[in-house]
Amino acid sequence: MKVVKTINEVKNIVNDWKKQGLSIGFIPTMGYLHEGHGSLIIKARENSKVVVSIFVNPMQFGPAEDLDKYPRDLEKDSKYCEELGVDLIFNPEPEEMYPEGFCTSVNMSVLSEELCGLSRPVHFTGVCTVVNKLLNIVNPDKAYFGEKDAQQLAIIRRMVKDLNMDVEIVGCPIIREEDGLAKSSRNTYLNSEERRAALVLSKSIFAGKKMVEEGCREVDVLLKKMKDIIEREPLARIDYLKVVDAMTMQQVNTIDRPVLVAMAVYLGNVRLIDNFSFIPE
Ligand code: PAF
């Protein structure tokens, strides 16, 4: 496994692989890898070569967000990637991705204006721009994203379609801790009290999922039950809890089409997200 820092190195290696007719699977990450990322890497081994990027992208963090304290551990990440059979890690410095004079961005309307886009207004422009750049640099056949970031996944699918990008986007299921908490690099911010309290997210998700599976189609009724579970925990504060159309991310009142039920909840200063999708018959 190679770890490279420049765009040219990645392009040269990938060009060689392409000349040999090899297929390439790509997992863009911000590092501090956990089993959620691991599941994407394992899935990506359906290709001949697997590339992982590790880049904490400044452009997707708002001014008051956690860019500086975002957890980083390249050594541990490299070891984990090596064990999982990754062929190449791309770990650029911010100046390599955003050199002096950089002034282009990829902006998306509609899909990025709901859910996380409301509380994180610059976030999805940063995500779309960096993912676009990374896909241009790595030029993979398939790129793998977790369903935990369901809005991000929908936005990237839309961007690839709208901009006629030649890559297949593969979504992979949420990976959870044994007690239900969705795996996230941000879980490391939680103190022990917050870690215990964070279980209200998955409890609410599981209860909501059961309700719709048993036939509940009224969004008001569903959200009341899910909200009650979260609000019983004094350390938890809801940022949003919504049911949206799975394609457009616009709110719905009745579950009469494929939907995403998504939440962001603060435990102290730590903001966690979770969701489930549902397709009615
Ligand atoms: O999901 C993430 O970790 C990031 O948003 C991504 C896709 C790597 C872009 O920086």
Side-chain angles (χ1 to χ4, degrees):
M1 186 187 75
K2 270 193 142 179
V3 183
V4 302
K5 292 206 154 286
T6 67
I7 293 167
N8 271 340
E9 283 169 289
V10 179
K11 286 194 168 180
N12 288 336
I13 292 170
V14 168
N15 273 343
D16 274 356
W17 287 341
K18 295 241 156 175
K19 274 190 214 140
Q20 295 169 48
L22 301 176
S23 64
I24 294 159
F26 175 47
I27 303 103
T29 82
M30 298 209 300
Y32 218 71
L33 305 178
H34 50 69
E35 284 151 41
H37 300 108
S39 71
L40 305 181
I41 295 172
I42 290 165
K43 176 86 175 117
R45 293 207 314 226
E46 62 190 355
N47 302 276
S48 337
K49 295 286 180 188
V50 176
V51 182
V52 171
S53 65
I54 297 179
F55 178 58
V56 182
N57 173 33
M59 201 177 174
Q60 70 190 72
F61 288 78
E65 291 184 355
D66 55 346
L67 172 62
D68 289 338
K69 72 170 182 126
Y70 196 84
R72 294 159 165 91
D73 191 341
L74 182 62
E75 209 176 300
K76 195 159 156 250
D77 288 347
S78 305
K79 220 170 142 235
Y80 187 52
C81 285
E82 179 107 63
E83 276 165 22
L84 290 180
V86 170
D87 298 281
L88 175 66
I89 293 180
F90 177 41
N91 175 229
E93 294 299 326
E95 304 73 49
E96 178 73 3
M97 292 298 278
Y98 302 115
E100 213 186 308
F102 184 91
C103 59
T104 303
S105 59
V106 180
N107 238 307
M108 185 172 297
S109 61
V110 191
L111 272 77
S112 67
E113 287 159 6
E114 258 294 343
L115 307 178
C116 289
L118 285 172
S119 38
R120 307 186 70 191
V122 298
H123 177 65
F124 288 118
T125 298
V127 170
C128 284
T129 306
V130 82
V131 171
N132 204 302
K133 281 174 69 73
L134 288 167
L135 291 173
N136 283 336
I137 294 163
V138 177
N139 194 12
D141 298 274
K142 294 184 184 183
Y144 298 78
F145 294 85
E147 286 171 357
K148 184 170 85 61
D149 296 302
Q151 184 177 17
Q152 167 171 284
L153 176 58
I155 283 173
I156 287 163
R157 285 194 198 283
R158 186 78 239 177
M159 173 179 82
V160 162
K161 188 166 190 232
D162 286 355
L163 301 183
N164 311 99
M165 297 167 76
D166 221 356
V167 58
E168 184 185 328
I169 302 299
V170 182
C172 300
I174 297 178
I175 304 294
R176 297 181 180 278
E177 303 288 350
E178 249 171 52
D179 61 6
L181 180 68
K183 296 220 182 222
S184 163
S185 308
R186 287 192 168 96
N187 291 349
T188 52
Y189 296 155
L190 300 167
N191 65 31
S192 58
E193 272 290 277
E194 291 161 348
R195 173 65 183 80
R196 179 200 49 75
L199 284 184
V200 290
L201 281 93
S202 52
K203 275 193 189 143
S204 171
I205 288 290
F206 297 155
K209 192 160 187 276
K210 185 160 182 281
M211 278 176 82
V212 293
E213 280 170 1
E214 287 173 357
C216 174
R217 297 291 176 266
E218 286 305 306
V219 167
D220 284 356
V221 178
L222 173 70
L223 291 186
K224 181 173 181 320
K225 167 83 181 172
M226 292 181 69
K227 201 166 162 230
D228 280 352
I229 294 175
I230 299 169
E231 287 180 342
R232 258 184 259 143
E233 170 51 63
L235 285 183
R237 182 168 56 82
I238 296 175
D239 177 17
Y240 66 74
L241 168 59
K242 287 182 181 169
V243 181
V244 296
D245 179 302
M247 293 295 286
T248 66
M249 299 288 121
Q250 302 306 295
Q251 285 190 72
V252 297
N253 297 321
T254 309
I255 300 175
D256 54 2
R257 68 197 89 176
V259 292
L260 172 70
V261 182
M263 63 171 68
V265 176
Y266 281 98
L267 288 308
N269 292 324
V270 187
R271 184 176 172 280
L272 300 180
I273 56 175
D274 204 342
N275 70 77
F276 69 93
S277 297
F278 182 74
I279 305 176
E281 304 221 318

